[in-house]
């Protein structure tokens, strides 16, 4: 059965045929490819085609698809069982490995997704501060819980409305939205609201283009939080373990009150985490009065996949990731220039990159045109036909892994100009 037929069948049994909307290739005028297996930097679909993957499951696979060591570790863990609903050593090992390497955190609590990690951080921040409101930034994504499906509204600085049907006004009233890279706007929000529990930010916003922020700006955000008795939460679900082992917190030297993780932390298995200073983390049940739980939290197989992946991320790995990315960015830039996308720029940071007109300069969502997908579908389809798989949306960044090595780069060059 080919992708088209699978998609028809999928649409019968699942809304839009997918279990996460961006997978549907909406607006791209082509059928989503049904992937049957993957290895290294390659995806293989049911139609018998292979693709050089630059989506990499949207981030978790920093060492590549189906890494041999991770596969072996998973198989070994499976021999013993795959969920115990009881204390086990696997999560202790992963927690110790992470906490002992990241200066900003003393303790960590595992969840099953990034969304749950952020949800935990929100409740914890409220419980710890006794305050009610949270601030997020326009263009940052923090998962799909009600209180974060909020976009900037018109009117007073910070006012916001739900970005999804089904989110109540009572909920959206308690989330304020600020523009990135605009300290005055954040100051205004603090002036007008005295009950802000936490400011949530992706310290490297990578869910609506790649909106690299200045370190000084991030430091000022932290100062404002401190001055106002508000917690600062770095959402490092993408940047954690990717930009450096300790993510943007390590790069900037900023120690936020809480950090959320996801994606890479589970090595491709469903894991998220909320981490931070002991004093705050111990507000969580069973010690504290902020409830948080999960039947499959710290799933032993996922813990082992995460630990095996993280152990591969040594200093050399980060150098390799950077080199792979720079070479790949150069190839794409050259190809854009020669093939009708000469106004495209490619911005990279660590092992992330993003291509769009004026990509190099933008620092806030407001600076990105809202019609990027109108041309992107043409680019996406052209590359897909060449066997190159980008994330299926113009606002999504591309992910490079350790598997995108010299050999893959040579193959990318061949495919681009073929
Ligand atoms: C992906 C992402 C999330 C949500 O994680 P899920 O595992 O999809 O629930 C939260 N925050 C950021 C920054 C993300 O990139």
């Amino acid at each position: 059965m080919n992708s088209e037929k699978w998609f028809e069948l999928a649409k019968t049994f699942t809304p839009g045929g997918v279990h996460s909307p961006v997978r549907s290739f909406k607006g791209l005028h082509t059928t989503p490819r049904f992937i049957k297996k993957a290895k290294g930097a390659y995806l293989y679909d049911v139609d018998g085609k292979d693709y050089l993957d630059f989506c990499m499951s949207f981030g978790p696979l920093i060492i590549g698809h189906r890494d041999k060591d991770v596969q072996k570790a998973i198989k070994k863990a499976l021999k013993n069982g795959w969920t115990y609903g009881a204390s086990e050593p696997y999560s202790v090992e992963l927690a110790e490995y992470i906490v002992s390497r990241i200066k900003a955190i003393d303790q960590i609590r595992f969840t099953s997704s990034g969304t749950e990690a952020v949800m935990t951080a929100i409740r914890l921040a409220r419980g710890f501060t006794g305050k009610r409101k949270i601030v997020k930034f326009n263009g940052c994504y923090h998962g799909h819980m009600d209180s974060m499906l909020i976009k900037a509204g018109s009117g007073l600085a910070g006012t916001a409305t739900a970005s999804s049907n089904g989110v109540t006004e009572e909920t959206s009233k308690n989330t304020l939205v600020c523009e990135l890279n605009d300290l005055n706007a954040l100051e205004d929000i603090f002036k007008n609201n005295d009950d802000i529990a936490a400011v949530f930010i992706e310290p490297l916003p990578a869910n609506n283009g790649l909106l690299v922020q200045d370190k000084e700006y991030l430091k000022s955000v932290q100062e404002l939080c401190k001055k106002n008795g508000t917690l600062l939460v770095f959402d490092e679900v993408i940047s954690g373990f990717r930009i450096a082992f300790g993510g943007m917190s390590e790069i900037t030297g900023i120690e936020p009150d809480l950090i959320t993780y996801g994606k890479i932390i589970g090595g491709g298995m469903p894991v998220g985490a909320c981490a931070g200073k002991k004093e705050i983390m111990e507000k969580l049940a069973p010690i504290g009065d902020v409830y948080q739980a999960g039947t499959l939290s710290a799933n032993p197989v996922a813990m082992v996949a995460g630990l095996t992946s993280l152990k591969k991320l040594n200093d050399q790995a980060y150098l390799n990731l950077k080199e792979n990315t720079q070479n790949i960015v150069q190839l794409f830039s050259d190809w854009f220039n020669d093939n009708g996308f000469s106004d495209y720029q490619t911005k990279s940071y660590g092992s992330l990159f993003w291509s769009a007109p004026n990509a190099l300069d933008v620092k806030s969502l407001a600076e990105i045109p809202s019609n990027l997908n109108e041309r992107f579908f043409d680019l996406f389809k052209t590359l897909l036909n060449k066997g190159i798989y980008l994330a299926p949306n113009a606002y999504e960044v591309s992910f490079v892994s350790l598997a995108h090595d010299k050999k893959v780069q040579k193959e990318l060059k061949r495919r681009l100009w073929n």
Side-chain angles (χ1 to χ4, degrees), residues 249-268:
S249 170
E250 179 181 322
I251 294 290
T252 59
I254 298 173
E255 295 186 24
D257 300 289
L258 292 171
I259 305 182
T260 51
Y261 298 106
K263 301 195 168 113
I264 291 173
I265 199 171

Side-chain angles (χ1 to χ4, degrees), residues 113-116 118 141-144 202 207 235 237-238 263:
S113 70
T115 297
E116 276 183 87
V118 174
Y141 178 70
H142 301 290
H144 67 97
E202 279 181 83
N207 272 289
D235 183 350
V237 170
I238 284 184
K263 301 195 168 113

Side-chain angles (χ1 to χ4, degrees), residues 131-359:
K131 296 179 179 183
R132 195 172 27 154
K133 288 180 178 152
I134 56 172
V135 172
K136 77 177 285 271
F137 292 87
N138 200 17
C140 287
Y141 178 70
H142 301 290
H144 67 97
M145 77 293 288
D146 284 15
S147 51
M148 284 296 189
L149 289 180
I150 309 288
K151 60 179 183 205
S154 51
L156 262 185
T159 51
T161 55
S163 61
S164 165
N165 190 6
V167 176
T168 64
E169 227 174 275
E170 287 71 32
T171 297
S172 59
K173 263 198 323 230
N174 286 322
T175 302
L176 306 164
V177 179
C178 187
E179 284 302 326
L180 284 162
N181 191 38
D182 184 348
L183 208 57
N184 291 336
L186 187 59
E187 275 170 356
D188 282 347
I189 287 176
F190 273 116
K191 244 179 247 159
N192 298 329
N193 300 276
D194 58 3
D195 58 346
I196 300 174
V199 169
F200 284 76
I201 190 166
E202 279 181 83
L204 178 65
N207 272 289
N208 274 288
L210 191 54
L211 304 170
V212 182
Q213 304 294 298
D214 296 331
K215 184 169 143 183
E216 288 316 308
Y217 167 73
L218 293 172
K219 280 193 170 151
S220 305
V221 170
Q222 184 180 39
E223 274 161 31
L224 274 178
C225 287
K226 281 197 168 138
K227 216 169 82 188
N228 288 280
T230 294
L231 300 191
L232 174 64
V233 185
F234 272 8
D235 183 350
E236 301 229 48
V237 170
I238 284 184
S239 54
F241 315 107
R242 177 169 288 280
I243 300 311
F245 192 91
M248 290 302 283
S249 170
E250 179 181 322
I251 294 290
T252 59
I254 298 173
E255 295 186 24
D257 300 289
L258 292 171
I259 305 182
T260 51
Y261 298 106
K263 301 195 168 113
I264 291 173
I265 199 171
M269 294 289 203
V271 182
C274 174
K277 300 287 177 213
K278 188 172 175 198
E279 165 199 27
I280 302 171
M281 291 301 291
E282 289 195 335
K283 269 299 258 187
L284 284 175
I287 300 181
D289 55 2
V290 175
Y291 191 70
Q292 193 276 343
T295 302
L296 295 176
S297 286
N299 175 269
V301 179
M303 294 289 104
V304 162
L307 183 59
T308 311
S309 301
L310 294 188
K311 280 187 173 168
K312 292 196 143 194
L313 296 174
N314 55 22
D315 291 347
Q316 188 59 46
Y318 287 105
L319 292 175
N320 293 350
L321 282 165
K322 198 161 185 183
E323 192 188 324
N324 290 352
T325 309
Q326 282 167 353
N327 293 341
I328 285 163
V329 162
Q330 189 61 51
L331 289 172
F332 274 112
S333 300
D334 292 346
W335 187 83
F336 288 142
N337 255 331
D338 300 344
N339 290 278
F341 294 94
S342 58
D343 57 328
Y344 270 53
Q345 296 176 335
T346 300
K347 175 149 90 180
S348 71
Y349 195 100
S351 50
L352 299 171
F353 69 91
W354 179 60
S355 305
N358 290 326

Side-chain angles (χ1 to χ4, degrees), residues 85-120:
S87 292
E88 35 60 48
Y90 309 99
S91 60
V92 185
E93 283 177 5
L94 182 59
E96 182 192 18
Y97 193 82
I98 293 170
V99 169
S100 63
R101 278 167 182 76
I102 301 180
K103 195 159 163 269
I105 59 174
D106 302 328
Q107 292 195 335
I108 192 164
R109 170 67 60 85
F110 294 117
T111 63
S112 299
S113 70
T115 297
E116 276 183 87
V118 174
M119 201 176 78
T120 301

